[in-house]
Amino acid sequence: MAASTSNQGSCSKEVMSSRIGLPALDISAAFPQATPASIFPPSASDYYQFDDLLSPEEKALQRKVREVMEKEVAPIIAPYWEKAEFPFHVIPKLAALSVAGGTIKGYGCPGLSITGSAIATAEIARVDASCSTFILVHSCTAMLTIALCGSEAQKQKYLPSLAQLHTVACWALTEPDYGSDAGSLRTMATKVAGGWIIDGQKRWIANSTFADVLVVFARNTSTYQINGFIVKKDAPGLRATKMENKIGLRIVQNCDILFKKVFVPDEDRLPGVNSFQDTNKVLAVSRVMVAWQPIGISMGVFDMCHRYLKERKQFGVPLAAFQINQEKLVRMLGNIQAMLLVGWRLCKLYESGKMTPGHASLGKAWTSLKARETVSLGRELLGGNGILTDFLVAKAFCDMEPVFSYEGTYDINSLVTAREITGIASFKPAVLGKASRL
């Protein structure tokens, strides 16, 4: 009986093995007619010669970032996306770009022009949107909050290490019950001798599985206003757990964070955050940067499609020879030209001190809308290969979905701009507002 059971088990394993089959072929062997994204295509999307608008320093930065992303990141990134794991060995390569800290001057930060920082964001996103999100969260939200709202001692203490990516930061604003309505957050901060006690929960916080520094927003239990705090990763009572099952930005480590009586010393309270309005100083810059992320994603998709359509043949001719494919490719190209110029003008408005919240919101809403269309066209053009991460487009298609929603959804950003041009706020349904008064 025991021998029979053993034989059955052995047969079962053999059957299972035959059903699983052999390991997948390398994509170059399985599909030799087109080059995969691990060998990244040359840039082909700057049809209106946008580069002519850049300064020599901005052009040099663009070349530097493009070279590192194409040679160091593109060959290895797809498997990490599939596994939803972060490639930690890439951090030193990103650090070498000297873009962390963006526009911040001093404290070891690069002090880039906002256009230079935006170009770097686009070039990183062109190859991988998750890497650009990692840098955006670290640099344009967390570091910038310390730079704009922190004390001199806090800037000296935290920014130099963060600028070198020797340490990593995250930015904890969103909560399970408050996304677009972030100003209603319920994480609480209570003053005690020598510091503060934080209790509450955050959600969707990128980088937080491994961040050394957390910039956290909580409601002061005395004033009921929003305050900001710098929290260390090893603080007792702090627990960050990775969110699973995402279909986009899979490399980004988003977390649920629980704060249970987490003590923060007075020296780590951000003195420049005394209301929710103080976060707008940071969001004004970060929303400009996020408007450039869809531009970069679209550039990468176009470059991939441009090469693929000339390599892949059907009916004896390259796919690029078919009229319908040419029209789609040109529509993608037109979207990118318009997006580039909107993004560039947004940077110039910021530099001149003329940019309003409505300008930034329209930029982010519109570029993400056009990028969504662009990556969808790219997915169509690649046919079956458009659902494989080997050819970039499928990954970019999925990554655009969270980008469309974060840093203000398309709808919320549209309403911010609409409030500015009409003078009427419409974030809350009028019927609910009327009911609450009865």
Side-chain angles (χ1 to χ4, degrees):
M1 184 69 175
S4 176
T5 302
S6 176
N7 289 338
Q8 287 177 3
S10 176
C11 290
S12 177
K13 288 178 182 177
E14 290 176 7
V15 170
M16 287 298 294
S17 178
S18 66
R19 288 177 179 173
I20 293 171
L22 297 172
L25 284 175
D26 180 86
I27 188 63
S28 296
F31 194 81
Q33 204 178 73
T35 309
S38 56
I39 304 170
F40 213 77
S43 177
S45 63
D46 188 13
Y47 189 64
Y48 277 4
Q49 299 171 40
F50 165 78
D51 284 2
D52 289 350
L53 299 174
L54 304 180
S55 69
E57 294 78 15
E58 290 162 353
K59 289 179 182 179
L61 178 63
Q62 181 186 52
R63 288 192 297 270
K64 179 181 179 181
V65 176
R66 182 177 294 173
E67 181 178 7
V68 168
M69 291 303 297
E70 288 181 357
K71 293 183 178 180
E72 303 289 347
V73 178
I76 59 91
I77 204 68
Y80 286 93
W81 193 93
E82 291 276 5
K83 295 181 290 186
E85 295 178 357
F86 191 89
F88 290 101
H89 68 284
V90 166
I91 291 181
K93 302 179 191 303
L94 296 176
L97 297 176
S98 298
V99 296
T103 58
I104 302 170
K105 292 180 170 60
Y107 311 101
C109 297
L112 302 173
S113 69
I114 194 163
T115 305
S117 190
I119 291 296
T121 297
E123 287 296 332
I124 296 171
R126 174 175 169 261
V127 171
D128 183 64
S130 291
C131 283
S132 68
T133 298
F134 163 72
I135 289 291
L136 282 170
V137 170
H138 171 83
S139 179
C140 296
T141 55
M143 287 185 69
L144 194 60
T145 300
I146 296 171
L148 294 178
C149 305
S151 66
E152 182 61 28
Q154 289 168 342
K155 296 173 193 178
Q156 295 283 358
K157 180 178 180 179
Y158 293 107
L159 291 179
S161 177
L162 293 170
Q164 298 298 316
L165 283 171
H166 293 159
T167 52
V168 173
C170 69
W171 202 71
L173 175 66
T174 302
E175 297 184 0
D177 291 341
Y178 302 101
S180 296
D181 188 20
S184 298
L185 64 84
R186 287 291 180 268
T187 295
M188 308 304 286
T190 304
K191 187 71 181 76
V192 295
W196 301 76
I197 296 293
I198 298 180
D199 287 286
Q201 185 174 351
K202 300 291 183 178
R203 186 163 171 82
W204 290 109
I205 311 306
N207 300 352
S208 53
T209 55
F210 57 90
D212 303 284
V213 174
L214 298 83
V215 175
V216 178
F217 297 90
R219 191 173 299 281
N220 187 317
T221 55
S222 297
T223 66
Y224 219 58
Q225 294 295 324
I226 305 301
N227 291 168
F229 303 88
I230 300 171
V231 182
K232 314 294 198 311
K233 67 176 181 180
D234 55 357
L238 172 66
R239 182 168 177 259
T241 53
K242 178 183 172 181
M243 295 173 61
E244 303 284 359
N245 307 320
K246 296 189 302 174
I247 68 159
L249 296 179
R250 287 176 55 78
I251 291 171
V252 176
Q253 305 296 292
N254 294 94
C255 285
D256 289 300
I257 306 179
L258 295 177
F259 298 87
K260 291 188 176 180
K261 298 189 182 305
V262 175
F263 177 77
V264 180
D266 283 325
E267 65 188 42
D268 285 332
R269 153 92 159 85
L270 289 161
V273 182
N274 296 297
S275 73
F276 185 72
Q277 293 304 313
D278 291 321
T279 65
N280 289 335
K281 293 181 286 188
V282 176
L283 292 173
V285 178
S286 67
R287 202 154 281 169
V288 174
M289 293 299 105
V290 172
W292 278 84
Q293 198 176 17
I295 298 173
I297 293 170
S298 299
M299 289 162 56
V301 168
F302 177 85
D303 293 342
M304 190 69 218
C305 291
H306 181 255
R307 181 176 71 183
Y308 182 93
L309 292 182
K310 292 193 291 184
E311 292 180 338
R312 170 71 162 152
K313 292 181 180 179
Q314 287 292 279
F315 305 102
V317 296
L319 292 180
F322 293 90
Q323 289 181 346
I324 194 166
N325 290 343
Q326 290 190 357
E327 187 279 331
K328 289 178 181 178
L329 197 63
V330 169
R331 204 183 333 160
M332 295 166 67
L333 184 64
N335 282 349
I336 292 168
Q337 306 320 295
M339 291 159 66
L340 280 167
L341 291 170
V342 166
W344 178 81
R345 183 57 185 157
L346 194 58
C347 289
K348 296 307 169 185
L349 286 169
Y350 180 87
E351 288 175 349
S352 65
K354 296 178 181 178
M355 191 190 80
T356 67
H359 287 144
S361 288
L362 177 60
K364 194 275 173 174
W366 191 81
T367 59
S368 61
L369 180 69
K370 287 300 171 184
R372 212 180 188 198
E373 177 188 18
T374 302
V375 299
S376 295
L377 289 168
R379 209 229 61 74
E380 293 174 16
L381 286 173
L382 263 64
N385 284 326
I387 66 167
L388 297 178
T389 59
D390 302 281
F391 294 95
L392 178 74
V393 175
K395 182 166 75 73
F397 179 91
C398 292
D399 286 343
M400 256 314 301
E401 288 305 293
V403 172
F404 187 71
S405 295
Y406 73 20
E407 280 280 349
T409 64
Y410 172 81
D411 301 294
I412 289 294
N413 276 313
S414 296
L415 294 182
V416 171
T417 305
R419 177 181 60 188
E420 197 167 280
I421 64 174
T422 66
I424 302 170
S426 59
F427 298 97
K428 297 180 180 180
V431 63
L432 292 183
K434 186 180 294 183
S436 66
R437 292 193 296 270
L438 296 177

